Amino acid sequence: QVQLVESGGGTVQAGSSLRLSCAPSGGTFIIYTMGWFRQAPGKEREFVATIKWSDGVTNYAGSVKGRFTISRDNAKNTVYLQMNSLKPEDTAVYYCAGRRPEQYNYGYWGQGTQVTVSS
């Protein structure tokens, strides 16, 4: 069964950068979009960024626009999230998600990677 595996989380100081990676494990699937979501303690999961696999069109939440960049490596079926100028409010568990063309919602999710930003 295909699972998404994230890596790259950690603890950093405000103003630092981190890059998250995510790739399928246990198989592959035809990707329509890949996305990053995050969930902070006591809050609901929220959208961060998405990328359309075919043409690389991206979309960002307002809170991260200009600081985060989502990108993909088609050959490796890997999606990245470059996070710059990190703020304490970016502290959350970050989840990778994948969607097939026929899916309305994201059908594949990773287990999450913790990002902690200290002030």
Side-chain angles (χ1 to χ4, degrees):
Q1 185 173 353
V2 177
Q3 293 183 326
L4 298 179
V5 180
E6 304 103 334
S7 62
T11 299
V12 297
Q13 290 189 331
S16 300
S17 299
L18 278 176
R19 189 177 82 154
L20 306 181
S21 301
C22 171
S25 175
T28 60
F29 63 97
I30 298 174
I31 302 171
Y32 180 61
T33 63
M34 294 284 283
W36 288 96
F37 296 76
R38 67 186 182 185
Q39 187 167 18
K43 295 186 177 181
E44 293 189 353
R45 188 175 299 184
E46 65 176 5
F47 160 77
V48 175
T50 59
I51 186 165
K52 191 176 176 185
W53 214 250
S54 60
D55 56 16
V57 173
T58 58
N59 190 28
Y60 296 93
S63 59
V64 306
K65 191 174 291 186
R67 299 188 299 122
F68 291 10
T69 302
I70 187 171
S71 62
R72 76 203 192 293
D73 184 327
N74 292 50
K76 297 180 180 179
N77 266 4
T78 299
V79 64
Y80 304 97
L81 185 68
Q82 177 67 43
M83 305 184 293
N84 298 329
S85 302
L86 282 162
K87 305 175 181 180
E89 51 263 43
D90 294 318
T91 295
V93 177
Y94 283 71
Y95 297 90
C96 172
R99 184 160 73 101
R100 298 167 61 103
E102 68 272 21
Q103 292 177 329
Y104 181 75
N105 295 312
Y106 284 91
Y108 300 93
W109 290 87
Q111 294 196 336
T113 184
Q114 178 70 47
V115 172
T116 302
V117 185
S118 61
S119 57

